Amino acid sequence: MSAVTQSATTLKLALVQMRMGADPAANLQRALELTRQALAGGARLVCLPELFRSRYFCQSEDAGNFALAEPVPGPTTEAFTALAAAHGATIVLSLFERRAAGLYHNTAAIIDGQAGVVGRYRKMHIPDDPRYYEKYYFTPGDLGFQAHDTAAGRLGVLVCWDQWYPEGARLTALAGAEILIYPTAIGWHPEEKAALGARQHAAWETIQRAHAIANGCFVVAINRTGFEPEPGGAGGIEFWGQSFVAAPDGHLLVKAAADEEGVLYAEIDRADIERQRQGWPFLRDRRIDAYGDITRRFRDE
Amino acid sequence: MSAVTQSATTLKLALVQMRMGADPAANLQRALELTRQALAGGARLVCLPELFRSRYFCQSEDAGNFALAEPVPGPTTEAFTALAAAHGATIVLSLFERRAAGLYHNTAAIIDGQAGVVGRYRKMHIPDDPRYYEKYYFTPGDLGFQAHDTAAGRLGVLVCWDQWYPEGARLTALAGAEILIYPTAIGWHPEEKAALGARQHAAWETIQRAHAIANGCFVVAINRTGFEPEPGGAGGIEFWGQSFVAAPDGHLLVKAAADEEGVLYAEIDRADIERQRQGWPFLRDRRIDAYGDITRRFRDE
């Protein structure tokens, strides 16, 4: 009998909340080290934060940062593939994907045990706000909203700005995803924190808990932590950590501190999804005959 | 200069949280009395809870309850039309609509000052759960998700079970609604309250705050309060009150107690909508090219 034996529906998963430094090689080594720690701790699914190989380079528009991009599969997925295979574990990695010369995406790769990369997701909603200049770097995803079968269940991966869009969560859940996983890089502008910080963070947590509620599935958000200075500027971003796992009824199962790096574990039972959906049968009653205008920009005609 | 002068965008609104008794005539009088109180208190928009003329009759399936239905416009809208006209105020009423012999809806009427009934909404998502046997009584709405111009702004009205559907909130906001208004009748099964009550209520509040966040608009939820026994049964529903108004960033502006009847006021500035949407430009980045499958029941083919 193994200590890690689990039932067909229970799962121990781990969120790696990281603080990133200036050296991508060191960040990669740190991510591998924390992933090894998570696997040693019994996690069957390990999720890393958005673009963990580097500082959040989108604080400025600098063509030199395209050098950080890599193919998928590529060096970073290969570094984790061996770990996943050795442990028969599932790993969700966020990467700066170089798809072709001049064509880049904000991508997540799903690595499943010995099968290697079994799926990828290209961030569909791309933000562009002061210090989050992502439209400069990333072409919006063209793979749509998907779910992927893995040893850890059927996973739906989305990325950061996607978390503000109920449509993305819904479409991924309708594809059968049991767990919605959001690698994230979100934080405060220090000069706004006192006035707006608490409400900004509350909104972020609230809307993702609502995705769990609306769809009766688990939601996993993995954020980075720490302060990263704005290149050439006086400001920066204070990433707010507080990675979490929400249950299908929206309550928080676990939540990390704001400023600590480390591995956050959660034990979930995927059978809770069907129990929750039987109790609150929202999927039964969707008015699919009346939702067509969701594909309009605005209903002003 | 009048004490009730307001700027073009500020608005004082009132939520009437009610406890319903067995006598519809008495409930109507109580609703009128609380509405008069709200108008005397300076409210320009008054919102009443779901089906306030009677106890929540959907706790049982009883053909005798169809006698509670009435046309819209009809006696109840007429009772409020005079009040709205006299005060130049806007009133949102929830009604059991008799549309034709054997055809009934769970409807909301929007009454706007001297213009009378300027719009109606027929509940689109109809629940059916123990003690909430609404599918027996109500034909699902056929008017879709709309917004209505009134003196109190452009209003989107939805009803109770709709609040669990991000699609309804989105479509109503895309129709230009500045305030989403949810007349509600939701409560605990007393035998479940200890185990599930806190999480059930938190989910309800969370998902509606998320509608405010996702759409950058105000959300108003008006619930009933008090215990109503199940006809012929040993149970009943303990309505949980806690009516609230959420701002476009999702934070709660005001919230009523669980067990108190009365008028809850909020002062809002509709200009906050555009400020919020400029700060967090979610509407800018919707992937309308990729949302088509929202109209599918499940993406399993």
Side-chain angles (χ1 to χ4, degrees), chain B residues 74-119:
Chain B
T76 299
T77 56
E78 280 161 23
F80 284 85
T81 297
L83 266 182
H87 290 80
T90 306
I91 302 177
V92 175
L93 291 183
S94 165
L95 303 146
F96 185 13
E97 179 186 7
R98 181 188 181 279
R99 184 175 181 182
L103 184 57
Y104 309 89
H105 295 283
N106 187 328
T107 297
I110 299 103
I111 300 173
D112 191 36
Q114 299 196 337
V117 176
V118 296

Side-chain angles (χ1 to χ4, degrees), chain A residues 186-200:
Chain A
I186 194 168
W188 294 295
H189 288 200
E191 65 276 21
E192 287 182 355
K193 184 180 177 184
L196 302 174
R199 287 183 184 172
Q200 288 174 343

Side-chain angles (χ1 to χ4, degrees), chain A residues 125 165 167 282 286 291 294, chain B residues 125 165 170 282 291 294:
Chain A
H125 302 96
Y165 293 85
E167 294 92 341
F282 305 142
R286 294 178 66 241
Y291 293 163
I294 288 278
Chain B
H125 301 97
Y165 293 85
R170 177 70 93 200
F282 305 143
Y291 293 163
I294 288 278

Side-chain angles (χ1 to χ4, degrees), chain A residues 45-262:
Chain A
L45 169 64
V46 182
C47 306
L48 287 105
E50 187 181 11
L51 301 171
F52 63 87
R53 274 204 60 189
S54 64
R55 285 208 168 133
Y56 182 69
F57 54 83
C58 311
Q59 287 203 63
S60 67
E61 299 195 359
D62 178 349
N65 287 327
F66 288 110
L68 293 166
E70 60 178 308
V72 178
T76 299
T77 57
E78 280 160 24
F80 284 85
T81 297
L83 267 182
H87 290 79
T90 306
I91 302 177
V92 175
L93 291 183
S94 166
L95 303 146
F96 185 13
E97 180 186 6
R98 179 187 182 281
R99 184 176 181 182
L103 184 57
Y104 309 89
H105 295 284
N106 188 328
T107 297
I110 300 103
I111 299 173
D112 192 35
Q114 299 197 336
V117 176
V118 296
R120 81 176 73 192
Y121 169 78
R122 292 184 178 130
K123 188 172 183 176
M124 291 287 284
H125 302 96
I126 306 294
D128 197 283
D129 302 288
R131 295 180 210 162
Y132 294 86
Y133 300 112
E134 296 199 15
K135 289 193 194 298
Y136 173 73
Y137 293 103
F138 309 125
T139 294
D142 58 350
L143 299 176
F145 303 98
Q146 309 173 34
H148 303 274
D149 283 317
T150 73
R154 191 161 168 85
L155 308 182
V157 179
L158 300 124
V159 177
C160 203
W161 192 240
D162 293 321
Q163 56 211 168
W164 301 101
Y165 293 85
E167 294 92 341
R170 177 70 94 201
L171 286 162
T172 306
L174 291 180
E178 299 171 298
I179 311 175
L180 304 181
I181 301 170
Y182 290 92
T184 302
I186 194 168
W188 294 295
H189 288 200
E191 65 276 21
E192 287 182 355
K193 184 180 177 184
L196 302 174
R199 287 183 184 172
Q200 288 174 343
H201 171 263
W204 176 78
E205 189 178 275
T206 297
I207 201 165
Q208 290 179 90
R209 291 175 58 200
H211 299 331
I213 296 161
N215 297 293
C217 62
F218 292 91
V219 168
V220 173
I222 319 99
N223 197 11
R224 55 173 75 194
T225 186
F227 177 78
E228 299 184 18
E230 179 184 11
I237 302 177
E238 181 185 341
F239 293 97
W240 62 43
Q242 303 183 67
S243 302
F244 66 85
V245 179
D249 66 0
H251 86 273
L252 292 186
L253 292 167
V254 293
K255 179 173 170 177
D259 52 1
E260 285 175 19
E261 189 179 63

Side-chain angles (χ1 to χ4, degrees), chain B residues 21 33 39 43 48 52 69 121 132 136 166 177-178 195 202 207 214 233 242 280:
Chain B
E33 176 187 322
L39 294 169
L48 287 106
F52 63 88
Y121 169 79
Y132 295 85
Y136 174 73
E178 298 171 298
I207 200 166
Q242 303 183 67
W280 281 355

